[in-house]
């Protein structure tokens, strides 16, 4: 079995044409374990087989602990119906997973269908390092979605699941007729958790995705919208993970979280809007 850095080296040697320098936008060439552009900007593979394309370290609240708990919930089947819907749109496609985190969504799609190419990136190095443990052949990197380190027309599908967007960059890296698939929370998404975290704050309990839906429709053609909503019965062994997997918990008092750990939720509503648009 190849080491992670060997797998990463094989990928960048095979697909060097996918990359462009994020500093000067020139094409890249590859040596054994690095990419270099004609202006001498060099990006070395880490021991985990990843590339770091940021010019400076970025502080993010999305840490290893959050990603581990999110992975547990995804593996427990919390998003199974969503992934079943997404998978056929990804079959035999060149996928770019924006804000991939620990890579669980991309891995689950790969478990369902065969894909031609998979690249995931996130601004969080902690998430990307965890993603290298996923048992698939995806390539992972740390990058900025406002300045993607990929050539024009490199991908056929951009996955944008629970993550920020930069539609200008999405359109640039997609080939003609390429698709953006964006997944955003619906009004009732995790309503039980929001009520438990913020029982007296109606503003935090309520959410509308209308502004996101409207902006998406302004940027893409032939937009299709799919609403998927269901109750997920939480397995006992991951009920604690539900409390830790989301930014919702960042402003919750430790006392409140301790109370919820004593009596965790047994079910939660998954209510999501899936938007699919073409370039």
């Amino acid at each position: 079995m190849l080491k992670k850095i060997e797998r990463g080296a094989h990928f960048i040697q095979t697909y060097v044409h996918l990359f462009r320098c994020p500093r000067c936008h020139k094409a890249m060439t590859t040596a054994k374990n690095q990419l270099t552009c004609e202006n001498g900007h060099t990006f070395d593979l880490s021991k985990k087989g990843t590339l770091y394309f940021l010019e400076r370290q970025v502080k993010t609240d999305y840490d290893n602990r959050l990603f581990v708990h999110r992975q547990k919930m995804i593996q427990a089947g919390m998003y199974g119906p969503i992934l079943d819907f997404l998978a056929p749109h990804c079959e035999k496609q060149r996928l770019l997973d924006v804000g991939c985190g620990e890579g669980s969504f991309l891995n689950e799609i790969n478990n369902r269908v065969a894909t031609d190419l998979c690249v995931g990136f996130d601004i969080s190095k902690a998430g990307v390092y965890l993603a290298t443990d996923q048992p698939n052949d995806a390539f992972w990197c740390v990058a900025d979605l406002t300045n993607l380190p990929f050539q024009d027309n490199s991908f056929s599908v951009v996955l944008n699941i629970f993550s920020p967007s930069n539609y200008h960059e999405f359109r640039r890296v997609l080939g003609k007729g390429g698709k953006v698939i964006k997944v955003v929370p619906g009004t009732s998404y995790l309503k039980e958790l929001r009520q438990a975290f913020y029982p007296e704050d109606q503003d935090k309990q309520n959410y509308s995705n209308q502004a996101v839906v409207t902006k998406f429709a302004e940027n893409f053609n032939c937009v299709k919208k799919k609403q998927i909503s269901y109750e997920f019965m939480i397995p006992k062994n991951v009920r604690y993970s539900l409390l830790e997997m989301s930014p919702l918990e960042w402003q919750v008092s430790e006392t409140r979280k301790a109370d919820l750990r004593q009596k965790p939720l047994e079910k939660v509503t998954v209510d999501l809007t899936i938007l699919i648009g073409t370039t």
Side-chain angles (χ1 to χ4, degrees):
M1 180 179 292
L2 293 177
K3 296 179 179 178
K4 291 178 180 179
I5 191 170
E6 293 171 336
R7 294 204 307 268
H10 176 73
F11 185 92
I12 64 173
Q13 289 163 16
T14 304
Y15 296 107
V16 63
H17 60 278
L18 286 178
F19 297 95
R20 79 171 194 180
C21 179
R23 299 183 187 176
C24 64
H25 298 170
K26 297 295 185 180
M28 310 289 280
T29 57
T30 179
K32 183 178 179 181
N33 292 328
Q34 66 179 206
L35 291 176
T36 305
C37 75
E38 64 183 58
N39 289 324
H41 302 129
T42 299
F43 305 89
D44 296 310
L45 284 172
S46 72
K47 291 182 179 179
K48 292 185 177 290
T50 64
L51 286 170
Y52 191 91
F53 286 111
L54 302 182
E55 291 194 46
R56 60 186 66 84
Q57 186 77 33
V58 174
K59 181 176 175 55
T60 172
D61 292 323
Y62 286 79
D63 58 12
N64 185 281
R65 178 181 59 87
L66 182 149
F67 288 124
V68 167
H69 287 295
R70 188 179 85 150
Q71 182 177 50
K72 289 180 179 179
M73 295 304 298
I74 294 171
Q75 291 177 341
M78 182 173 175
Y79 299 100
I82 307 299
L83 290 159
D84 290 341
F85 177 83
L86 294 179
H89 295 279
C90 300
E91 188 170 10
K92 298 182 180 179
Q93 301 296 316
R94 303 186 312 277
L95 301 182
L96 177 64
D97 187 8
V98 174
C100 66
E102 81 297 337
S104 297
F105 285 125
L106 196 53
N107 184 63
E108 290 294 327
I109 287 172
N110 268 314
N111 287 339
R112 287 163 168 79
V113 295
T115 56
D116 285 349
L117 172 75
C118 290
V119 176
F121 79 89
D122 202 286
I123 203 169
S124 168
K125 185 166 70 172
V128 169
Y129 275 10
L130 279 173
T132 64
D133 293 329
Q134 297 288 359
N136 61 46
D137 293 328
F139 182 79
W140 311 98
C141 53
V142 181
D144 179 359
L145 88 165
T146 68
N147 183 27
L148 298 179
F150 309 112
Q151 293 284 6
D152 298 359
N153 310 314
S154 293
F155 299 94
S156 54
V157 172
V158 167
L159 291 174
N160 191 204
I161 304 174
F162 301 143
S163 59
S165 306
N166 187 293
Y167 295 144
H168 176 269
E169 282 291 87
F170 293 178
R171 289 192 299 270
R172 182 182 66 76
V173 301
L174 281 170
K176 184 178 180 181
K179 295 185 293 189
V180 175
I181 303 176
K182 185 171 182 65
V183 180
V184 294
T187 303
S188 298
Y189 182 61
L190 304 184
K191 64 180 181 180
E192 298 86 353
L193 185 61
R194 286 188 273 123
Q195 290 165 359
F197 277 162
Y198 307 107
E200 298 177 359
D201 191 333
Q202 289 297 317
D203 288 340
K204 291 186 182 297
Q205 289 185 33
N206 297 319
Y207 171 78
S208 172
N209 63 24
Q210 188 55 53
V212 176
V213 172
T214 299
K215 185 173 182 180
F216 188 90
E218 291 171 350
N219 280 273
F220 298 101
N221 303 317
C222 303
V223 172
K224 297 179 181 178
K225 179 180 176 183
K226 174 73 172 179
Q227 196 78 20
I228 298 180
S229 185
Y230 53 92
E231 284 189 344
F232 177 66
M233 302 305 297
I234 309 167
K236 286 185 178 180
N237 64 319
V238 295
R239 287 176 183 170
Y240 170 74
S241 290
L242 178 70
L243 305 178
E244 303 290 342
M245 64 163 275
S246 166
L248 286 171
E249 62 95 14
W250 289 344
Q251 298 179 33
V252 180
S253 70
E254 288 301 320
T255 300
R256 185 65 186 158
K257 285 194 284 188
D259 290 342
L260 289 170
R261 291 189 191 103
Q262 296 299 315
K263 192 176 180 181
L265 296 173
E266 297 180 2
K267 64 180 180 179
V268 69
T269 299
V270 179
D271 177 33
L272 298 172
T273 300
I274 301 172
L275 305 168
I276 303 176
T278 58
T279 55

